[in-house]
Amino acid sequence: MKIVESRSEAYAQVAQWRQTGASVGLVPTMGALHAGHLTLAERSTKECDKSVATIFVNPAQFGPREDFSRYPRTLDDDLQGLRDKQTDLVFIPQPEELYPAGFSTYVEPPSVALPLEGVFRPTHFRGVTTIVLKLFNILPATVAYFGQKDFQQLTVIRHMVDDLNIPIRVEGCQTVREPDGLALSSRNRYLSLEQRQTAQSLSRALTAVAKQVGEGILAVEPLEQSMHHILREAGIERIDYACIVDRTTLESLPQLDRPAVALIAAHVGDTRLIDNVLL
Ligand code: AMP
């Protein structure tokens, strides 16, 4: 597995692979890799001739009061995990490599970035679209893999790729969970044992809603209320949102008469967690 820090080396390697006709899979991450990230790497290796991962904690997608400086960094373990998944190339740039002095161009995200996370983290998706486009340019892959765990992010990236005619296919990958349902997240390591129990209520609320929908409850309001109820019962006081929206536009809807998604963002102690389920 080759490890590179410079943009030029990273570009040269991927461009050379593409010139020989090889397909290249790209897995962008912020490191602190867990089994969820590694399923993306595994899929990339399986489906593409060459596989590239990136590890970069992107300052542009963190708000001023968010956890950028304390975001977990576990590079040695990350590299071992990627090696185990037969990743061919890892791009680990220093911040100055991607944001040199004088950097000032950002990608205005599509309108699907406005609700949900956009309300609570107003500059987040601008940071995401900017870094993802930069990575797509530096690593001109055939296909890029993103997790459905970050459902709105996946939607934002799909729209950006369509709107800006970026020649990369985007693949969404299923959320990997702990046996009790908690979605794997780099931020789970912030949770105490007790908070870990509380955190499980996010997936419990989502599973309950999916079950209710299966039983024929299609009015959105009672379904949303039931999610809030389960979260509050578990002791969660700060719920940013627990709602059901149209799966494509992310607009709210009164009735489940089309493909939808239920999404939750909630704080367990100082840790903000997100999760979702397709309906
Ligand atoms: P991050 O390092 O948190 O930016 O995540 C990198 C990629 O891994 C993103 O595309 C995430 O959606 C994806 N990811 C994060 N958690 C999971 C999970 N539990 N299951 C599947 N993919 C995930």
Side-chain angles (χ1 to χ4, degrees), residues 186-205:
S186 304
R187 292 186 168 101
N188 289 352
R189 70 189 74 202
Y190 300 149
L191 301 170
S192 69
L193 218 58
E194 194 186 332
Q195 288 173 337
R196 173 69 186 69
Q197 294 292 317
T198 307
Q200 197 250 338
S201 64
L202 272 77
S203 67
R204 203 146 28 88

Side-chain angles (χ1 to χ4, degrees), residues 16-80:
Q16 192 235 315
W17 283 332
R18 293 296 304 272
Q19 270 158 21
T20 64
S23 61
V24 178
L26 173 64
V27 179
T29 82
M30 296 204 299
L33 302 186
H34 50 62
H37 297 115
L38 294 178
T39 59
L40 271 59
E42 189 173 274
R43 194 169 153 198
S44 173
T45 301
K46 205 166 113 204
E47 296 180 358
C48 304
D49 299 321
K50 297 288 178 187
S51 192
V52 184
T54 69
I55 298 176
F56 181 64
V57 185
N58 174 33
Q61 69 189 69
F62 287 79
R65 275 174 297 280
E66 294 181 356
D67 57 346
F68 173 68
S69 53
R70 71 170 185 134
Y71 196 82
R73 286 153 170 96
T74 59
L75 187 58
D76 290 345
D77 288 350
D78 294 352
L79 293 176
Q80 193 52 52

Side-chain angles (χ1 to χ4, degrees), residues 27-40 54 56 61 71 145-151 153-154 157 171 173-178 182-188 274-275:
V27 179
T29 82
M30 296 204 299
L33 302 186
H34 50 62
H37 297 115
L38 294 178
T39 59
L40 271 59
T54 69
F56 181 64
Q61 69 189 69
Y71 196 82
Y145 297 89
F146 292 91
Q148 276 174 14
K149 155 81 168 37
D150 299 277
F151 185 82
Q153 168 175 281
L154 175 61
I157 291 166
E171 289 286 348
C173 303
Q174 270 193 1
T175 302
V176 177
R177 298 175 179 281
E178 298 282 5
L182 178 70
L184 296 190
S185 163
S186 304
R187 292 186 168 101
N188 289 352
I274 58 170
D275 198 357

Side-chain angles (χ1 to χ4, degrees), residues 132-181:
V132 169
L133 182 59
K134 282 165 72 67
L135 292 174
F136 284 178
N137 284 330
I138 296 166
L139 303 155
T142 320
V143 42
Y145 297 89
F146 292 91
Q148 276 174 14
K149 155 81 168 37
D150 299 277
F151 185 82
Q152 190 176 11
Q153 168 175 281
L154 175 61
T155 307
V156 163
I157 291 166
R158 284 192 194 287
H159 278 259
M160 176 180 79
V161 162
D162 277 355
D163 289 349
L164 300 183
N165 312 106
I166 301 169
I168 290 190
R169 194 172 88 238
V170 173
E171 289 286 348
C173 303
Q174 270 193 1
T175 302
V176 177
R177 298 175 179 281
E178 298 282 5
D180 68 359

